[in-house]
């Protein structure tokens, strides 16, 4: 694998690869741009512990001084959580960052891309990017990325700040399979249900592993498998709808565009709900990491 030459592995991840232990990739944008300091670092560490306790090894992925890292040492995780110069990077930014030796946190698209390069098959995140609401055209590179990347990604659906219906249509177009974990209802990130159905329900990590293992036989092994894991205790629906309306209006007033949109809306939710949405967000990441570890063990 050419890629191992360009990836710096943490000691723990290098040992896991050598011992063929199950590994779970984690994204870093959630740490740098999705959660406020200082809780971001605490959550990043907690999530890694959940994966270890379940018998797998966490590989948090990020770019430090232009170098791709899979698995971060403690001081490196701190840099991602606390350094102001850490930008949000998608797949298209990787070569630029490598050439300019900058540091960046990786989105779902970039994390999946690097994880697949490293031979890691399972990835836990909060919510996927998708098609944004509103008139302007804004579709996350996560969707195209998943169509081109072989990985099982565990998420709580897409954030309700997005156009869920359009996002599901795009996933269909891009031939990315979507599975509901113990549900036929597509989750709405902060909300247990988004109002849209999922055709395929799975009830165990073993069933997910069986689907993963069938892909090559039917010549669809190039794309991701999306596993959606609904949050157990959702954000109160009335509060959620008020936050969504207020956040969208404030983003429009402030002319927020491009990759700043998602972090802006997440920050608005956390601030105006006085941390209630943050608590739900943290629960989502923890639960998805637990399930991802179980899937990694089953593969
Ligand atoms: N889910 C979260 N918090 C986040 C994100 C997802 O719970 O911060 C990040 C992911 O890194 C995702 C990105 O890939 O938001 C999508 O950004 P955009 O809409 O700009 O593609
Ligand atoms: Mn966008």
């Amino acid at each position: 694998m050419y890629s191992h030459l360009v990836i710096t592995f943490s000691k723990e991840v290098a040992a896991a690869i050598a011992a063929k232990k199950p590994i779970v990739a984690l994204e870093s944008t959630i740490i740098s741009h999705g959660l406020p300091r200082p809780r971001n670092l605490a959550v990043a560490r907690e999530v890694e512990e959940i994966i270890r306790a379940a018998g797998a090894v966490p590989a948090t992925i990020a770019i430090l001084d232009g170098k791709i890292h899979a698995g971060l040492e403690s001081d490196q995780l701190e840099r991602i959580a606390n350094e102001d110069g850490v930008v949000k990077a998608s797949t298209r930014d990787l070569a630029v960052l490598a050439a300019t030796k900058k540091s960046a946190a990786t989105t779902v698209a970039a994390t999946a891309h690097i994880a697949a390069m490293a031979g890691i098959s399972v990835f836990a995140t909060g919510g996927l990017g998708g098609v944004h609401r509103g008139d302007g055209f804004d579709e996350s590179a996560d969707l195209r990325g998943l169509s081109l990347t072989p990985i099982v990604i565990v998420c709580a659906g897409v954030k309700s700040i997005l156009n869920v219906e359009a996002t599901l249509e795009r996933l269909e177009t891009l031939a990315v399979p979507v599975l509901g974990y113990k549900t036929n209802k597509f989750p709405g990130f902060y909300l247990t249900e988004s109002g849209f159905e999922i055709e395929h329900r799975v009830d165990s990590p073993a069933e997910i592993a069986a689907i993963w293992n069938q892909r090559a036989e039917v010549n669809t092994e190039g794309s991701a498998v999306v596993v959606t894991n609904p949050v157990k205790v959702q954000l109160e629906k009335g509060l959620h709808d008020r936050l969504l309306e207020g956040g969208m209006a404030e983003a429009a007033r402030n002319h927020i565009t491009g990759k700043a949109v998602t972090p802006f809306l997440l920050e608005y939710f956390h601030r105006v709900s006085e941390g209630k949405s943050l608590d739900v967000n943290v629960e989502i990441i923890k639960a998805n990491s637990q399930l991802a570890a179980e899937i990694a063990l089953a593969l």
Side-chain angles (χ1 to χ4, degrees):
M1 225 183 302
Y2 70 94
S3 48
H4 276 203
L5 299 173
V6 302
I7 298 175
T8 306
F9 293 98
S10 64
K11 289 195 242 18
E12 186 186 19
V13 171
I17 291 169
K20 295 193 164 32
K21 277 183 74 173
I23 302 174
V24 174
L26 295 165
E27 62 151 308
S28 43
T29 294
I30 218 167
I31 305 171
S32 65
H33 291 75
L35 302 170
R37 296 173 194 162
R39 195 154 171 202
N40 59 348
L41 181 59
V43 171
R45 292 202 202 285
E46 245 180 295
V47 162
E48 291 198 344
E49 272 315 311
I50 287 170
I51 290 169
R52 289 188 190 102
V57 169
T60 301
I61 288 175
I63 314 298
L64 290 169
D65 309 315
K67 289 218 59 134
I68 293 176
H69 288 254
L72 299 179
E73 309 297 349
S74 184
D75 57 315
Q76 295 171 336
L77 197 61
E78 264 177 62
R79 288 187 59 187
I80 291 297
N82 294 330
E83 263 181 31
D84 289 328
V86 171
V87 297
K88 170 180 165 186
S90 194
T91 313
R92 69 170 182 170
D93 303 307
L94 295 177
V96 182
L97 293 162
T100 55
K101 307 217 175 338
K102 292 209 176 103
S103 300
T106 47
T107 62
V108 164
T111 305
H113 179 85
I114 293 166
M117 277 169 78
I120 300 171
S121 311
V122 185
F123 170 18
T125 185
L128 299 182
V131 180
H132 281 261
R133 294 168 186 252
D135 304 329
F137 183 79
D138 181 358
E139 175 181 330
S140 175
D142 289 356
L143 300 184
R144 173 192 175 272
L146 292 178
S147 77
L148 297 173
T149 312
I151 196 141
V152 176
I153 177 162
V154 183
C155 63
V158 297
K159 274 159 293 229
S160 42
I161 58 177
L162 299 172
N163 181 336
V164 179
E165 187 171 19
T167 303
L168 286 170
E169 290 293 344
R170 288 293 292 150
L171 286 168
E172 181 186 347
T173 304
L174 292 163
V176 177
V178 179
L179 310 176
Y181 190 68
K182 300 189 175 166
T183 185
N184 278 102
K185 313 253 182 227
F186 189 70
F189 194 69
Y190 295 122
L191 302 177
T192 304
E193 297 176 6
S194 64
F196 295 91
E197 299 287 311
I198 308 179
E199 186 178 353
H200 305 296
R201 169 184 170 137
V202 286
D203 288 285
S204 68
E207 278 176 60
I208 296 163
I211 292 166
W212 175 256
N213 291 329
Q214 283 298 317
R215 296 168 314 126
E217 206 167 306
V218 294
N219 196 24
T220 60
E221 74 271 35
S223 90
V225 173
V226 174
V227 175
T228 61
N229 187 27
V231 68
K232 296 272 178 331
V233 182
Q234 69 173 12
L235 194 61
E236 192 251 307
K237 180 84 169 76
L239 171 63
H240 171 272
D241 294 351
R242 286 196 299 280
L243 290 169
L244 185 55
E245 212 186 306
M248 299 292 296
E250 191 155 310
R253 265 199 303 279
N254 288 286
H255 307 292
I256 306 296
T257 58
K259 67 182 185 180
V261 173
T262 299
F264 180 89
L265 289 172
L266 289 174
E267 197 277 328
Y268 178 91
F269 267 60
H270 298 338
R271 177 164 42 85
V272 177
S273 74
E274 291 169 343
K276 286 202 185 82
S277 70
L278 179 57
D279 290 339
V280 176
N281 201 338
V282 170
E283 281 316 307
I284 287 169
I285 307 166
K286 287 188 189 172
N288 291 350
S289 299
Q290 173 71 35
L291 177 57
E294 292 169 16
I295 295 167
L297 263 76
L299 286 189

